[in-house]
Amino acid sequence: MITVDARGFACPEPVIRTKKALDVAGTDEVVEVLVDNEISLANVSKFGNDAGAKVTTKKVGDGHFRVLLELGESRSSQKETDQRTIAVIDSETMGEGSEELGKVLMKGFVYALSQLDVLPDKVLFYNGGAKLTCTGSDSLEDLQYMEGEGVEIMTCGTCLDFFKLKEELSVGQVTNMYSIVEAMNSADHIMKP
């Protein structure tokens, strides 16, 4: 049995830790995941079901849960493709309603993006998204990791100029709108938070 203690971690960390455990688990092995909130319980359970595992959950204390993922022969696995995927990020926040929550969600999105089995070919940043590639961004470590793995990180130069951030660019390279449009046009898949 492999035990993953994901207590105290916010989304998407419990799912990412679960995924890493499933990746190394053998056929017919059990992965035990410990979580401390119902959102993580639901997310890990859904991920396990999607991965083809038999999922059993149990409440083990006040707000604490145990998720057992039993793997079998029919377990699904993600296959690498030769299709070009890019991610486009046009804001330093994700969604609408709360700017503070939006920043937390965007940080989680960039982190989750960096943990995919198959990373995107490029990540394009424009408008407010350009701020994520600059000094002080909470996402720099994840972006630098992806760049080190061969992902092209490209930030709109006009946007950096507009926000007076050209000297603050800390990851990737400056690009232009034609290159952004060309990259989007040649992509097989475009991911956008």
Side-chain angles (χ1 to χ4, degrees), residues 15-80:
V15 170
I16 289 169
R17 286 176 179 239
T18 301
K19 181 195 173 312
K20 287 180 179 179
L22 288 177
D23 286 348
V24 299
T27 304
D28 295 327
E29 191 159 7
V30 175
V31 174
E32 172 189 51
V33 185
L34 306 174
V35 296
D36 59 5
N37 62 76
E38 292 187 11
I39 300 294
S40 293
L41 173 68
N43 289 343
V44 168
S45 297
K46 181 178 182 336
F47 179 80
N49 283 321
D50 291 346
K54 177 184 173 193
V55 178
T56 308
T57 62
K58 181 178 181 181
K59 187 171 185 173
V60 292
D62 189 29
H64 287 36
F65 304 91
R66 177 180 182 212
V67 183
L68 291 179
L69 307 170
E70 297 178 56
L71 304 176
E73 292 292 333
S74 65
R75 178 177 167 200
S76 66
S77 63
Q78 182 176 356
K79 296 179 181 157
E80 292 195 28

Coordinates of all heavy atoms in Angstrom, one line a residue, residues 15-80:
V15 N -4.7 16.2 -5.5 CA -4.9 15.4 -6.7 C -3.5 15.1 -7.4 O -3.3 14.0 -7.8 CB -5.8 16.1 -7.7 CG1 -5.8 15.5 -9.1 CG2 -7.3 16.1 -7.2
I16 N -2.7 16.1 -7.4 CA -1.3 15.9 -8.0 C -0.5 14.9 -7.2 O 0.1 14.0 -7.8 CB -0.6 17.3 -8.1 CG1 -1.3 18.1 -9.2 CG2 0.9 17.1 -8.4 CD1 -0.8 19.6 -9.2
R17 N -0.6 14.9 -5.9 CA 0.1 13.9 -5.1 C -0.5 12.5 -5.3 O 0.2 11.5 -5.4 CB 0.0 14.3 -3.6 CG 0.9 15.4 -3.3 CD 0.8 15.9 -1.8 NE 1.8 17.0 -1.6 CZ 2.7 16.9 -0.7 NH1 2.9 15.9 0.1 NH2 3.5 18.0 -0.6
T18 N -1.8 12.5 -5.5 CA -2.5 11.2 -5.8 C -2.0 10.7 -7.1 O -1.7 9.5 -7.3 CB -4.0 11.4 -5.7 OG1 -4.4 11.8 -4.4 CG2 -4.7 10.1 -6.1
K19 N -2.0 11.6 -8.1 CA -1.6 11.2 -9.5 C -0.2 10.6 -9.4 O 0.1 9.6 -10.1 CB -1.6 12.4 -10.4 CG -1.2 12.0 -11.8 CD -1.0 13.2 -12.6 CE -0.4 12.9 -14.0 NZ 0.7 11.9 -14.0
K20 N 0.7 11.3 -8.7 CA 2.1 10.8 -8.7 C 2.2 9.4 -8.0 O 3.0 8.6 -8.4 CB 3.0 11.8 -7.9 CG 3.3 13.0 -8.7 CD 4.1 14.0 -8.0 CE 4.4 15.3 -8.9 NZ 5.2 16.3 -8.2
A21 N 1.4 9.2 -7.0 CA 1.4 7.8 -6.4 C 0.8 6.8 -7.3 O 1.3 5.7 -7.4 CB 0.5 7.9 -5.1
L22 N -0.3 7.1 -8.0 CA -0.8 6.2 -9.0 C 0.2 5.9 -10.1 O 0.2 4.7 -10.6 CB -2.1 6.7 -9.6 CG -3.3 6.8 -8.7 CD1 -4.5 7.4 -9.4 CD2 -3.7 5.4 -8.2
D23 N 1.0 6.9 -10.5 CA 1.9 6.6 -11.6 C 3.0 5.6 -11.2 O 3.5 4.9 -12.1 CB 2.6 8.0 -11.9 CG 1.8 8.9 -12.7 OD1 0.7 8.5 -13.2 OD2 2.1 10.1 -12.9
V24 N 3.3 5.5 -9.9 CA 4.3 4.5 -9.5 C 3.7 3.2 -9.0 O 4.5 2.3 -8.8 CB 5.3 5.1 -8.5 CG1 6.1 6.3 -9.0 CG2 4.6 5.5 -7.2
A25 N 2.5 3.3 -8.7 CA 1.8 2.1 -8.2 C 1.7 1.0 -9.2 O 1.5 1.2 -10.4 CB 0.4 2.4 -7.7
G26 N 1.9 -0.2 -8.7 CA 1.8 -1.4 -9.6 C 0.3 -1.8 -9.7 O -0.6 -1.4 -9.0
T27 N 0.1 -2.7 -10.7 CA -1.3 -3.3 -10.9 C -1.7 -4.0 -9.6 O -0.9 -4.7 -9.0 CB -1.2 -4.3 -12.1 OG1 -0.7 -3.6 -13.2 CG2 -2.6 -4.8 -12.4
D28 N -2.9 -3.8 -9.3 CA -3.5 -4.4 -8.1 C -3.0 -3.9 -6.8 O -3.2 -4.4 -5.7 CB -3.4 -5.9 -8.1 CG -4.2 -6.6 -9.2 OD1 -5.3 -6.0 -9.6 OD2 -3.8 -7.6 -9.7
E29 N -2.3 -2.7 -6.8 CA -1.8 -2.1 -5.6 C -2.8 -1.1 -5.1 O -3.6 -0.5 -5.9 CB -0.5 -1.3 -5.9 CG 0.2 -0.9 -4.6 CD 1.7 -0.6 -4.8 OE1 2.2 -0.7 -6.0 OE2 2.4 -0.4 -3.8
V30 N -2.9 -0.8 -3.8 CA -3.8 0.1 -3.2 C -3.1 1.4 -2.9 O -2.0 1.3 -2.3 CB -4.4 -0.5 -2.0 CG1 -5.4 0.5 -1.3 CG2 -5.2 -1.8 -2.3
V31 N -3.7 2.5 -3.2 CA -3.2 3.8 -2.8 C -4.1 4.4 -1.8 O -5.3 4.5 -2.1 CB -3.0 4.8 -4.0 CG1 -2.6 6.2 -3.6 CG2 -2.0 4.2 -5.0
E32 N -3.6 4.7 -0.6 CA -4.4 5.4 0.4 C -4.1 6.9 0.4 O -2.9 7.3 0.5 CB -4.0 4.8 1.8 CG -4.7 5.5 3.0 CD -4.1 5.0 4.3 OE1 -2.8 5.0 4.4 OE2 -4.9 4.6 5.2
V33 N -5.1 7.7 0.4 CA -5.0 9.1 0.4 C -5.7 9.7 1.6 O -6.9 9.5 1.8 CB -5.5 9.8 -0.9 CG1 -5.2 11.3 -0.9 CG2 -4.9 9.1 -2.2
L34 N -5.0 10.5 2.4 CA -5.6 11.1 3.6 C -5.8 12.6 3.2 O -4.9 13.3 2.8 CB -4.6 11.0 4.8 CG -4.2 9.5 5.1 CD1 -3.2 9.6 6.2 CD2 -5.4 8.7 5.5
V35 N -7.0 13.1 3.4 CA -7.4 14.5 3.2 C -8.1 15.0 4.4 O -8.7 14.3 5.2 CB -8.2 14.6 1.9 CG1 -7.4 14.2 0.6 CG2 -9.5 13.8 1.9
D36 N -8.2 16.3 4.4 CA -8.8 17.0 5.6 C -10.0 17.9 5.2 O -10.3 18.8 6.0 CB -7.8 17.7 6.4 CG -7.0 18.8 5.7 OD1 -7.4 19.1 4.5 OD2 -6.1 19.4 6.2
N37 N -10.5 17.8 4.1 CA -11.7 18.5 3.7 C -12.5 17.8 2.6 O -12.0 17.0 1.9 CB -11.3 20.0 3.3 CG -10.5 20.0 2.1 OD1 -11.0 19.8 1.0 ND2 -9.2 20.2 2.2
E38 N -13.8 18.2 2.5 CA -14.7 17.5 1.6 C -14.4 17.8 0.1 O -14.6 17.0 -0.7 CB -16.1 17.8 2.0 CG -16.5 17.2 3.3 CD -18.0 17.3 3.6 OE1 -18.8 17.7 2.7 OE2 -18.4 17.0 4.7
I39 N -13.9 19.0 -0.1 CA -13.5 19.4 -1.5 C -12.4 18.4 -2.0 O -12.5 17.9 -3.1 CB -13.0 20.8 -1.6 CG1 -14.2 21.8 -1.2 CG2 -12.5 21.1 -3.0 CD1 -15.4 21.8 -2.1
S40 N -11.3 18.3 -1.2 CA -10.3 17.3 -1.6 C -10.8 15.9 -1.7 O -10.3 15.2 -2.6 CB -9.1 17.4 -0.5 OG -8.5 18.7 -0.6
L41 N -11.7 15.5 -0.8 CA -12.3 14.2 -0.8 C -12.9 14.0 -2.2 O -12.7 13.0 -2.9 CB -13.3 14.0 0.3 CG -14.1 12.7 0.3 CD1 -13.3 11.5 0.5 CD2 -15.2 12.8 1.3
A42 N -13.8 14.9 -2.6 CA -14.5 14.8 -3.9 C -13.5 14.9 -5.1 O -13.6 14.1 -6.0 CB -15.5 16.0 -4.0
N43 N -12.5 15.7 -5.0 CA -11.5 15.8 -6.1 C -10.7 14.6 -6.3 O -10.5 14.1 -7.4 CB -10.6 17.0 -5.9 CG -11.3 18.4 -6.1 OD1 -12.4 18.4 -6.7 ND2 -10.7 19.4 -5.6
V44 N -10.2 14.0 -5.2 CA -9.4 12.8 -5.2 C -10.2 11.6 -5.7 O -9.8 10.8 -6.5 CB -8.7 12.6 -3.9 CG1 -8.1 11.2 -3.8 CG2 -7.6 13.6 -3.6
S45 N -11.4 11.6 -5.2 CA -12.3 10.5 -5.6 C -12.6 10.5 -7.1 O -12.6 9.5 -7.7 CB -13.6 10.5 -4.8 OG -13.4 10.4 -3.4
K46 N -12.9 11.7 -7.6 CA -13.2 11.8 -9.0 C -12.0 11.4 -9.8 O -12.1 10.7 -10.8 CB -13.7 13.2 -9.3 CG -14.0 13.4 -10.8 CD -14.5 14.7 -11.2 CE -14.9 14.9 -12.6 NZ -14.3 14.1 -13.6
F47 N -10.8 11.9 -9.4 CA -9.6 11.6 -10.1 C -9.4 10.1 -10.2 O -9.0 9.5 -11.2 CB -8.4 12.3 -9.5 CG -7.1 12.0 -10.2 CD1 -6.8 12.7 -11.4 CD2 -6.3 11.1 -9.7 CE1 -5.6 12.3 -12.1 CE2 -5.1 10.7 -10.4 CZ -4.8 11.4 -11.6
G48 N -9.6 9.5 -9.0 CA -9.4 8.0 -8.9 C -10.3 7.3 -9.9 O -9.9 6.4 -10.6
N49 N -11.6 7.7 -9.9 CA -12.6 7.1 -10.8 C -12.2 7.3 -12.2 O -12.3 6.3 -13.0 CB -14.0 7.7 -10.5 CG -14.7 7.1 -9.3 OD1 -14.5 5.9 -9.0 ND2 -15.4 7.9 -8.6
D50 N -11.8 8.5 -12.6 CA -11.3 8.8 -14.0 C -10.1 8.0 -14.4 O -9.9 7.7 -15.5 CB -11.0 10.3 -14.1 CG -12.3 11.1 -14.0 OD1 -13.4 10.6 -14.1 OD2 -12.1 12.4 -13.9
A51 N -9.3 7.6 -13.4 CA -8.1 6.8 -13.7 C -8.4 5.3 -13.7 O -7.5 4.5 -13.9 CB -7.0 7.1 -12.6
G52 N -9.6 5.0 -13.5 CA -10.0 3.6 -13.6 C -9.8 2.8 -12.3 O -9.8 1.5 -12.3
A53 N -9.6 3.5 -11.2 CA -9.5 2.8 -9.9 C -10.8 2.6 -9.2 O -11.8 3.3 -9.5 CB -8.6 3.6 -9.0
K54 N -10.9 1.5 -8.4 CA -12.1 1.3 -7.5 C -11.9 2.3 -6.3 O -10.8 2.2 -5.6 CB -12.2 -0.1 -7.1 CG -13.3 -0.3 -6.1 CD -13.4 -1.8 -5.6 CE -14.4 -1.9 -4.6 NZ -14.3 -3.2 -3.9
V55 N -12.8 3.2 -6.1 CA -12.6 4.2 -5.0 C -13.5 3.9 -3.8 O -14.7 3.7 -4.0 CB -13.0 5.6 -5.6 CG1 -12.8 6.6 -4.5 CG2 -12.1 5.9 -6.8
T56 N -13.0 3.9 -2.6 CA -13.7 3.7 -1.4 C -13.3 4.8 -0.5 O -12.1 5.1 -0.3 CB -13.3 2.3 -0.7 OG1 -13.5 1.3 -1.6 CG2 -14.2 2.1 0.5
T57 N -14.3 5.5 0.1 CA -14.0 6.6 1.0 C -14.6 6.3 2.4 O -15.5 5.6 2.6 CB -14.6 7.9 0.5 OG1 -16.1 7.8 0.5 CG2 -14.1 8.3 -0.9
K58 N -13.9 6.9 3.4 CA -14.3 6.7 4.8 C -14.0 7.9 5.6 O -12.8 8.4 5.5 CB -13.6 5.5 5.4 CG -14.1 5.2 6.8 CD -13.4 3.9 7.4 CE -13.9 3.7 8.8 NZ -13.2 2.5 9.4
K59 N -14.9 8.4 6.4 CA -14.6 9.5 7.3 C -13.9 8.9 8.5 O -14.4 7.9 9.1 CB -15.9 10.2 7.8 CG -15.7 11.4 8.6 CD -17.0 12.2 8.8 CE -16.7 13.5 9.5 NZ -17.9 14.3 9.6
V60 N -12.7 9.4 8.9 CA -11.9 8.9 10.0 C -11.8 9.8 11.1 O -11.1 9.5 12.1 CB -10.5 8.5 9.5 CG1 -10.6 7.3 8.5 CG2 -9.8 9.6 8.8
G61 N -12.5 11.0 11.1 CA -12.4 11.9 12.2 C -13.1 13.2 11.7 O -13.7 13.3 10.6
D62 N -13.2 14.2 12.6 CA -13.9 15.4 12.3 C -13.2 16.1 11.1 O -12.1 16.7 11.3 CB -13.9 16.3 13.5 CG -14.8 17.5 13.4 OD1 -15.7 17.4 12.6 OD2 -14.5 18.6 14.0
G63 N -13.8 16.0 10.0 CA -13.2 16.7 8.8 C -12.0 16.0 8.2 O -11.4 16.5 7.3
H64 N -11.8 14.8 8.6 CA -10.7 14.0 8.0 C -11.2 12.7 7.3 O -12.1 12.1 7.8 CB -9.7 13.5 9.1 CG -8.8 14.7 9.6 ND1 -9.3 16.0 9.8 CD2 -7.6 14.7 10.0 CE1 -8.3 16.7 10.2 NE2 -7.3 16.0 10.4
F65 N -10.6 12.4 6.2 CA -11.2 11.4 5.3 C -10.0 10.5 4.8 O -8.9 11.0 4.6 CB -11.9 11.9 4.1 CG -13.1 12.8 4.5 CD1 -12.8 14.2 4.7 CD2 -14.3 12.4 4.8 CE1 -13.9 15.1 5.0 CE2 -15.3 13.2 5.2 CZ -15.1 14.6 5.3
R66 N -10.4 9.2 4.5 CA -9.4 8.3 3.9 C -10.0 7.8 2.6 O -11.2 7.4 2.6 CB -9.3 7.1 4.9 CG -8.4 6.0 4.3 CD -8.3 4.9 5.4 NE -7.5 3.9 5.0 CZ -7.6 2.6 5.3 NH1 -8.6 2.2 6.0 NH2 -6.8 1.7 4.8
V67 N -9.3 7.9 1.5 CA -9.7 7.5 0.2 C -8.8 6.3 -0.2 O -7.6 6.5 -0.2 CB -9.6 8.6 -0.8 CG1 -10.1 8.1 -2.2 CG2 -10.3 9.9 -0.4
L68 N -9.4 5.2 -0.5 CA -8.6 4.0 -1.0 C -8.9 3.9 -2.5 O -10.0 3.9 -2.9 CB -9.0 2.7 -0.3 CG -8.7 2.6 1.2 CD1 -9.2 1.3 1.7 CD2 -7.2 2.7 1.4
L69 N -7.8 3.8 -3.2 CA -7.8 3.7 -4.7 C -7.2 2.3 -5.0 O -6.0 2.1 -4.8 CB -7.1 4.8 -5.4 CG -7.5 6.2 -5.0 CD1 -6.5 7.2 -5.5 CD2 -8.9 6.5 -5.4
E70 N -8.1 1.4 -5.4 CA -7.6 0.0 -5.8 C -7.4 0.0 -7.3 O -8.4 0.2 -8.1 CB -8.6 -1.0 -5.3 CG -8.7 -1.0 -3.8 CD -9.7 -2.0 -3.3 OE1 -9.6 -3.2 -3.7 OE2 -10.7 -1.6 -2.6
L71 N -6.2 -0.3 -7.7 CA -5.9 -0.4 -9.2 C -6.1 -1.7 -9.7 O -6.0 -2.7 -9.0 CB -4.4 0.0 -9.4 CG -4.1 1.4 -8.8 CD1 -2.6 1.7 -9.0 CD2 -4.9 2.5 -9.4
G72 N -6.5 -1.8 -11.0 CA -6.7 -3.1 -11.6 C -6.1 -3.0 -13.0 O -5.6 -2.1 -13.4
E73 N -6.4 -4.1 -13.7 CA -5.8 -4.3 -15.1 C -6.4 -3.2 -16.1 O -5.8 -2.8 -17.0 CB -6.1 -5.7 -15.7 CG -5.4 -6.7 -15.0 CD -3.9 -6.7 -15.2 OE1 -3.5 -6.2 -16.3 OE2 -3.1 -7.1 -14.4
S74 N -7.7 -2.8 -15.8 CA -8.4 -1.9 -16.8 C -8.0 -0.4 -16.5 O -8.6 0.4 -17.1 CB -9.9 -2.1 -16.6 OG -10.3 -1.7 -15.3
R75 N -7.1 -0.2 -15.7 CA -6.7 1.2 -15.4 C -6.3 2.0 -16.6 O -5.6 1.5 -17.5 CB -5.5 1.1 -14.4 CG -4.9 2.4 -14.0 CD -3.8 2.1 -13.1 NE -3.1 3.4 -12.9 CZ -1.8 3.4 -12.5 NH1 -1.2 2.3 -12.1 NH2 -1.2 4.5 -12.3
S76 N -6.9 3.2 -16.7 CA -6.6 4.0 -17.9 C -5.3 4.7 -17.7 O -4.9 5.0 -16.6 CB -7.7 5.0 -18.1 OG -7.8 5.9 -17.1
S77 N -4.7 5.1 -18.8 CA -3.4 5.9 -18.7 C -3.4 6.9 -19.8 O -3.9 6.7 -20.9 CB -2.2 5.0 -18.8 OG -2.2 4.4 -20.1
Q78 N -2.8 8.1 -19.5 CA -2.7 9.1 -20.5 C -1.6 8.8 -21.4 O -0.6 8.3 -21.1 CB -2.4 10.5 -19.8 CG -2.3 11.6 -20.7 CD -2.1 12.9 -20.0 OE1 -2.1 13.0 -18.7 NE2 -1.9 14.0 -20.7
K79 N -1.9 9.0 -22.7 CA -0.9 8.7 -23.7 C -0.4 10.0 -24.3 O -1.1 10.9 -24.5 CB -1.6 7.9 -24.9 CG -2.1 6.5 -24.4 CD -2.8 5.8 -25.5 CE -3.3 4.5 -25.0 NZ -4.3 3.9 -25.8
E80 N 0.9 9.9 -24.5 CA 1.6 11.1 -25.1 C 1.1 11.2 -26.6 O 0.9 10.2 -27.3 CB 3.1 11.0 -25.1 CG 3.6 11.1 -23.6 CD 5.1 11.4 -23.6 OE1 5.6 11.9 -24.5 OE2 5.7 11.0 -22.6

